[in-house]
C-alpha cells in the first residue's frame, strides 16, 4: 500500500456559519460518473466531474453545496461528501450503489445507531430532500454540515433540525472537540 500524508491548516471559515443557519443544497445539471464507468467506492483524485457540478450549483448560489444526481435522477453525493435526509425521525442516505462509502458517512450512521436514531440506506429522489424534515452533508473537513434550503426552498421549517444537532453533538463528543466552536473560532 501507498501512504500519503498532506498537512495544512484546515480553513473552516467558509463553513462556520452553516452550522447554525444551514447551507443551500442545489442540484446541478451535471450528473455523476456512472458506476458502470467508475465504481463509486473508489475515492479517486480525478474530481473534474464533481468540480463541474459544484461550479454549476454555485451559479445558482455562490455558497451552495451541490446535490449531484446519478444518470437515473437519484440523489448520489456532493463534490466532497455524502448527503443525508431526516424524514419522520428516520435518517436516510443513498446506498453505495451510486455514492462513495465515505468514512464520514459511516461515522454519521454509527452515531445514529448509538443514539437510537433509525437509519435507512435507500434510493433517494430530489423530492425526498425537498420534503424532508432535515438535511445535511457529511465530509472530513466539516464532519456534518446542516442544510436548511434545497433548490431554493426551505427544508423542513428552514432551521437546523434536532436530529442533525444531536448527531453533531455526538460527533463532537466522539472526537473530544466542539466542532462548531472550532469553526467559529476561525471567524472571530
Amino acid at each position: 500500500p501507498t501512504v500519503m500524508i498532506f498537512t495544512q491548516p484546515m480553513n473552516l471559515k467558509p463553513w462556520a456559519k452553516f452550522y447554525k443557519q444551514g447551507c443551500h443544497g442545489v442540484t446541478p445539471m451535471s450528473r455523476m460518473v456512472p458506476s458502470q464507468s467508475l465504481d463509486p467506492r473508489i475515492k479517486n483524485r480525478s474530481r473534474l466531474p464533481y468540480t463541474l457540478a459544484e461550479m454549476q450549483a454555485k451559479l445558482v448560489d455562490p455558497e451552495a453545496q451541490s446535490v449531484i444526481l446519478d444518470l437515473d435522477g437519484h440523489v448520489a453525493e456532493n463534490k466532497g461528501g455524502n448527503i443525508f435526509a431526516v424524514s419522520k425521525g428516520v435518517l436516510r442516505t443513498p446506498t453505495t450503489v451510486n455514492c462513495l462509502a465515505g468514512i464520514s458517512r459511516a461515522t454519521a450512521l454509527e452515531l445514529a445507531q448509538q443514539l437510537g436514531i433509525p437509519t435507512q440506506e435507500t434510493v433517494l429522489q430530489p423530492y425526498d430532500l425537498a420534503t424532508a424534515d432535515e438535511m445535511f452533508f457529511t465530509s472530513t473537513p466539516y464532519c456534518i454540515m446542516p442544510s436548511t434550503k434545497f433548490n431554493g426552498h426551505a427544508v423542513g421549517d428552514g432551521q437546523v433540525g434536532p436530529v442533525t444537532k444531536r448527531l453533531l453533538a455526538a460527533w463532537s463528543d466522539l472526537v473530544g472537540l466542539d466542532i462548531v466552536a472550532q469553526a467559529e473560532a476561525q471567524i472571530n
Side-chain angles (χ1 to χ4, degrees), residues 84-86 89-93 104-120 136 138 144 163-164 166-171 174:
F84 288 80
V86 179
V90 178
L91 180 64
R92 302 170 72 206
T93 192
S104 299
R105 176 184 180 274
T107 301
L109 290 169
E110 288 170 19
L111 290 172
Q113 182 180 21
Q114 291 170 11
L115 294 171
I117 298 167
T119 62
Q120 184 181 44
F136 63 84
T138 59
I144 290 178
V163 173
T164 303
R166 284 182 65 202
L167 287 167
L168 192 50
W171 203 314
L174 176 69

Side-chain angles (χ1 to χ4, degrees), residues 125-133 135 150-151 153-156:
Q125 300 290 330
Y127 177 82
D128 297 314
L129 302 184
T131 60
D133 300 317
M135 179 177 148
F150 176 62
N151 287 337
H153 300 282
V155 174

Side-chain angles (χ1 to χ4, degrees), residues 10 12 15 19 43 80-82 102-105 138-144 171 179:
M10 194 175 305
L12 299 172
W15 301 306
Y19 288 110
K43 185 161 187 173
N82 295 98
I103 294 170
S104 299
R105 176 184 180 274
T138 59
S139 188
T140 300
Y142 49 76
C143 305
I144 290 178
W171 203 314
I179 294 166

Side-chain angles (χ1 to χ4, degrees), residues 22-28 56-67 126 129-131 135 137 147-158:
C23 71
H24 184 190
V26 172
T27 305
Q56 291 167 1
K58 289 186 185 319
L59 289 172
V60 173
D61 178 344
E63 295 184 322
Q65 293 294 307
S66 58
V67 175
L129 302 184
T131 60
M135 179 177 148
F137 298 90
S147 180
T148 54
K149 197 158 97 172
F150 176 62
N151 287 337
H153 300 282
V155 174
D157 66 2

Side-chain angles (χ1 to χ4, degrees), residues 69 73-76 83-85 92-94 122-126 128-129:
L69 307 179
H74 305 135
V75 174
I83 301 164
F84 288 80
R92 302 170 72 206
T93 192
T122 187
V123 173
L124 292 176
Q125 300 290 330
D128 297 314
L129 302 184

